Amino acid sequence: MANSLVSNYQRAYLRDLASKLYNKLKYLIKVYILFKPYARGVIQLSIDNAERYFGNDSDIKIHKLVTEEDFLIQPPKFLESDFLEIITPFKNEVESVIIDARKEGFAFSNNHILTPELKVIYEKDIEFEQLPVYREELSANYQKLQGTMAYLSNTMPQNYGHWFIYTLPMLEIYWKFIDKQEIDYYYIGGGSLPNFQKETLVALGIKEEQVVTFPSKPDRAITCVINRKIQNNGHKYPTIFAYRFARNLFLSKDNYANKKYPKRLYVKRGNVEHREVINENEVLEYLESIGFESLTMQGRTIQEQADIYYNADAIISVCGSALTNLLFIREKITVIEMFPFGYLDGFYYALSSYAQANYLYLIGDEIPNNPTAPHFSNLKVNINKLKQICKLADLV
């Protein structure tokens, strides 16, 4: 088992290295031979280097915030063969920086904010080559906007989990230092807004006319960079501060006992082409025998998803965006997360921990000759292991 894991990781590493070299060559050709408009690098902004980059400019204000909280993170439960280092207790330590530029030249494009020198402002520990904008041609036309615009985006703003955990917390930090009434616009990249973003903006009191999705240059540009501490095996965890901010927007206001939703919930994957359970019929047959009902979150409003999760006493799901709704669970419930073989992620362990849930995880069987990277791989659930983990969770 251990040797298979190592082999899987080695193959993934070689694929990633080849991809990086190929993209680097394409970038150099387009920028220095074809003279295409591309971003020229990244400023890995932190409280330690903000003055070095922007401290000498009288038209730019810098705000800093360090937030720490001693919140007891409970160790997870798992079968002996399934240990993952990143799913171990961690600390809530966050450093945030706001750059408030009252000058022209800053641009919003391709889901990012760029300096007049076309450098992307982003969090530390993220290399330029890791950002999608590294491979993207920038817009040649920017709309000039009078007023103040705040950055409210990320590399994948239309991802449900990224939106709630990485993007929305920027607002809380902006509003600590800048009057909400001063902000005329919010830049959200990605083109048309999905329904969950629209629903969130309504809950926040941000008007439709304040939202900008196109390349633009305002009179005043504000951006927030939130840096989470690197911990177990190089991982960064969602913060408890992000958890609380998002949770309070949609937490169920009704008595969950009156809801007609499953108490034992198996969350099926929605309309996706990766991380599917290839033997889901077997999984459902067993889980239904111990009282579980299955639902998909596809097409539901955020409030409905929040109500479903708040109602549940036990939740089992493959890792994926639908588990972002762990934001809304009650304390002390049981959560079992299932991973494809070789996949690593502590995102939902963190959300479960903040609710003091009884969190367990299960690693799927290796799929022979599987060419897909672990992040996108489908999952084969070992039914015997599923029975064992359910017993460990006191569900049987």
Side-chain angles (χ1 to χ4, degrees):
M1 180 74 170
N3 289 337
S4 296
L5 278 170
V6 171
S7 178
N8 200 321
Y9 297 152
Q10 287 174 337
R11 288 195 295 269
Y13 171 77
L14 291 174
R15 283 196 297 267
D16 289 344
L17 180 61
S19 177
K20 287 177 182 177
L21 292 174
Y22 176 67
N23 287 326
K24 182 71 172 179
L25 179 60
K26 284 202 304 183
Y27 171 80
L28 293 173
I29 291 173
K30 290 174 180 178
V31 173
Y32 296 106
I33 297 178
L34 300 178
F35 301 103
K36 295 286 186 179
Y38 272 67
R40 296 296 195 267
V42 63
I43 293 176
Q44 299 172 318
L45 196 66
S46 70
I47 62 172
D48 299 321
N49 63 23
E51 276 80 13
R52 175 158 58 88
Y53 287 115
F54 300 108
N56 295 324
D57 194 325
S58 60
D59 293 322
I60 297 179
K61 287 186 178 180
I62 301 171
H63 303 284
K64 301 178 182 180
L65 180 67
V66 177
T67 315
E68 298 181 16
E69 181 172 332
D70 288 329
F71 186 91
L72 181 61
I73 303 296
Q74 295 291 342
K77 297 177 183 177
F78 53 92
L79 302 179
E80 187 176 355
S81 60
D82 283 355
F83 173 72
L84 294 175
E85 184 180 351
I86 68 168
I87 305 185
T88 50
F90 57 92
K91 294 182 178 180
N92 270 283
E93 299 180 14
V94 188
E95 299 175 350
S96 305
V97 185
I98 289 180
I99 299 300
D100 182 354
R102 298 172 179 264
K103 59 187 295 185
E104 296 183 355
F106 285 79
F108 294 83
S109 180
N110 298 61
N111 301 345
H112 293 290
I113 181 171
L114 299 106
T115 69
E117 298 77 31
L118 294 183
K119 290 191 175 183
V120 178
I121 300 176
Y122 214 69
E123 63 185 285
K124 66 179 181 180
D125 307 312
I126 302 294
E127 299 298 333
F128 185 33
E129 293 81 0
Q130 294 176 276
L131 298 175
V133 71
Y134 172 73
R135 299 178 293 275
E136 299 169 351
E137 188 170 331
L138 300 176
S139 175
N141 300 303
Y142 292 87
Q143 184 169 332
K144 181 71 175 68
L145 294 176
Q146 294 182 337
T148 299
M149 184 184 295
Y151 177 69
L152 190 61
S153 193
N154 59 49
T155 55
M156 291 191 292
Q158 293 182 314
N159 177 284
Y160 190 72
H162 286 222
W163 171 252
F164 273 107
I165 300 302
Y166 301 146
T167 305
L168 291 188
M170 295 179 186
L171 292 173
E172 186 174 30
I173 297 171
Y174 289 143
W175 297 340
K176 282 182 184 291
F177 295 99
I178 299 166
D179 191 323
K180 186 177 179 180
Q181 303 305 315
E182 290 185 42
I183 302 177
D184 302 296
Y185 305 101
Y186 294 89
Y187 173 77
I188 304 174
S192 60
L193 303 183
N195 288 334
F196 70 80
Q197 287 185 341
K198 294 177 182 178
E199 190 178 350
T200 309
L201 295 172
V202 169
L204 288 163
I206 295 176
K207 299 176 181 177
E208 185 178 351
E209 57 267 27
Q210 290 181 278
V211 177
V212 174
T213 61
F214 48 81
S216 50
K217 290 185 177 182
D219 296 328
R220 177 186 177 193
I222 302 171
T223 189
C224 173
V225 175
I226 301 173
N227 288 307
R228 294 162 292 134
K229 181 180 179 181
I230 292 179
Q231 299 185 62
N232 308 323
N233 200 28
H235 199 65
K236 292 184 176 184
Y237 298 85
T239 69
I240 194 169
F241 317 106
Y243 164 84
R244 288 171 180 154
F245 184 75
R247 177 179 173 85
N248 289 335
L249 288 176
F250 294 101
L251 187 62
S252 179
K253 297 176 178 61
D254 298 325
N255 187 334
Y256 69 91
N258 295 327
K259 293 293 184 180
K260 296 181 180 179
Y261 294 125
K263 290 297 182 187
R264 290 189 169 192
L265 172 65
Y266 172 70
V267 184
K268 298 182 68 174
R269 295 283 282 162
N271 186 22
V272 295
E273 296 180 351
H274 61 278
R275 258 179 274 145
E276 297 180 88
V277 179
I278 62 178
N279 61 329
E280 190 163 59
N281 288 339
E282 289 182 271
V283 172
L284 288 173
E285 182 180 1
Y286 171 67
L287 292 181
E288 287 171 0
S289 75
I290 60 172
F292 276 80
E293 299 177 52
S294 61
L295 290 177
T296 177
M297 298 299 111
Q298 192 87 30
R300 301 181 190 272
T301 65
I302 302 171
Q303 190 61 65
E304 185 180 7
Q305 293 180 67
D307 290 346
I308 290 171
Y309 274 68
Y310 188 74
N311 180 72
D313 293 330
I315 296 170
I316 298 178
S317 176
V318 178
C319 55
S321 288
L323 278 180
T324 304
N325 294 306
L326 292 173
L327 286 166
F328 311 117
I329 61 176
R330 290 174 290 112
E331 291 186 354
K332 308 295 185 181
I333 78 161
T334 294
V335 175
I336 299 177
E337 183 176 9
M338 300 188 296
F339 294 100
F341 183 85
Y343 183 48
L344 303 174
D345 194 350
F347 192 103
Y348 303 113
Y349 167 55
L351 299 188
S352 298
S353 297
Y354 300 145
Q356 301 179 53
N358 176 31
Y359 175 89
L360 305 91
Y361 66 87
L362 176 72
I363 297 176
D365 287 347
E366 183 174 15
I367 300 173
N369 304 314
N370 180 19
T372 309
H375 182 78
F376 298 103
S377 178
N378 289 331
L379 167 66
K380 183 178 181 181
V381 178
N382 184 306
I383 301 301
N384 287 329
K385 287 177 64 176
L386 179 60
K387 291 178 180 179
Q388 291 176 54
I389 204 76
C390 286
K391 184 176 181 180
L392 185 62
D394 293 325
L395 295 175
V396 290

